[in-house]
Amino acid sequence: KQEVTQIPAALSVPEGENLVLNCSFTDSAIYNLQWFRQDPGKGLTSLLLIQSSQREQTSGRLNASLDKSSGRSTLYIAASQPGDSATYLCAVSWIGGYNKLIFGAGTRLAVHP
Amino acid sequence: DGGITQSPKYLFRKEGQNVTLSCEQNLNHDAMYWYRQDPGQGLRLIYYSQIVNDFQKGDIAEGYSVSREKKESFPLTVTSAQKNPTAFYLCASSIGLAGYTDTQYFGPGTRLTVL
């Protein structure tokens, strides 16, 4: 069964810290992996999409890496700010699954001043 | 403004009622999706549509129905057969290039509560 797991479920850090969110997935035959941000009671905002042939993607203070062989991805947030507080969701699409995404349960991040 | 709109934002349903959630996009995307999110959980796919007049069941389609008569619209009906419909419902769309997976763009969601 194709599953996505995110650790930790929740994280609280002081402003300015660099932090890493983890995502693991079963079955390495993926099309791509996406990281999303969700604010409370809101929809999802796409942050980064990594194709299966890529090792990492960067956008501003965000860097996402992909290691298919180990079934892992990490989202690195540099110099965290209170505005980064949200839930971060990892989603994977697998070969043969069209664009069907399987989501992890998310990591709820709180950055305090 | 290009984007995805969902209405209503909040919806209350009595036991045994069918309700329809609206999803409209003006991004000219071919593919559209419906997800359900329960507290503390990730999203689960209900239905998806790759083109007009075509749709497929996702992982949790039982108790739900959809239609895709227009490219920009993909309404979801929650029927009385859905035993636990209280959840946050999210609609998404993507360009939908055949054989290629692309970024999905999400609407703001509808929170459905069964009274």
Side-chain angles (χ1 to χ4, degrees):
Chain A
K1 182 181 177 184
Q2 293 163 335
E3 294 182 341
V4 178
T5 303
Q6 291 187 248
I7 294 173
L11 186 61
S12 180
V13 300
E15 181 176 7
E17 273 204 8
N18 301 324
L19 52 96
V20 174
L21 308 182
N22 296 294
C23 172
S24 61
F25 50 91
T26 57
D27 189 351
S28 61
I30 68 170
Y31 260 137
N32 63 39
L33 183 145
Q34 299 182 48
W35 283 94
F36 294 89
R37 169 185 172 139
Q38 185 177 31
D39 292 293
K42 306 289 186 182
L44 277 64
T45 300
S46 178
L47 298 173
L48 292 164
L49 182 152
I50 309 178
Q51 300 292 352
S52 62
S53 58
Q54 298 174 320
R55 296 298 300 269
E56 65 178 340
Q57 280 285 350
T58 298
S59 176
R61 294 183 293 109
L62 305 179
N63 175 277
S65 67
L66 174 65
D67 183 344
K68 280 196 309 180
S69 62
S70 65
R72 292 182 181 180
S73 175
T74 61
L75 178 66
Y76 176 83
I77 303 177
S80 58
Q81 304 170 358
D84 294 330
S85 299
T87 296
Y88 291 82
L89 294 157
C90 170
V92 177
S93 65
W94 273 276
I95 292 172
Y98 178 58
N99 201 16
K100 291 171 58 177
L101 293 176
I102 305 294
F103 282 82
T107 293
R108 191 171 64 253
L109 173 66
V111 181
H112 49 87
Chain B
D1 261 345
I4 302 175
T5 57
Q6 292 185 241
S7 63
K9 185 173 182 179
Y10 299 98
L11 185 58
F12 298 90
R13 192 194 91 169
K14 294 181 180 178
E15 295 273 358
Q17 276 186 338
N18 292 353
V19 291
T20 297
L21 283 60
S22 170
C23 177
E24 303 276 334
Q25 55 97 359
N26 60 6
L27 301 168
N28 200 33
H29 286 171
D30 282 313
M32 297 186 75
Y33 314 81
W34 273 106
Y35 293 90
R36 167 181 173 142
Q37 186 177 32
D38 293 284
Q41 298 188 31
L43 281 66
R44 292 182 290 168
L45 183 65
I46 304 172
Y47 269 97
Y48 66 102
S49 168
Q50 299 178 44
I51 55 172
V52 175
N53 293 322
D54 183 62
F55 48 83
Q56 285 80 41
K57 293 181 179 180
D59 298 319
I60 55 166
E62 185 175 352
Y64 300 98
S65 66
V66 294
S67 63
R68 187 85 187 277
E69 298 176 359
K70 298 186 296 182
K71 186 176 184 177
E72 59 270 21
S73 178
F74 191 40
L76 173 74
T77 296
V78 184
T79 75
S80 56
Q82 170 50 237
K83 298 306 179 188
N84 185 22
T86 295
F88 190 48
Y89 291 86
L90 289 157
C91 178
S93 72
S94 68
I95 294 174
L97 298 173
Y100 176 76
T101 58
D102 50 343
T103 299
Q104 294 186 20
Y105 297 88
F106 283 78
T110 292
R111 187 167 299 281
L112 173 62
T113 302
V114 174
L115 301 174

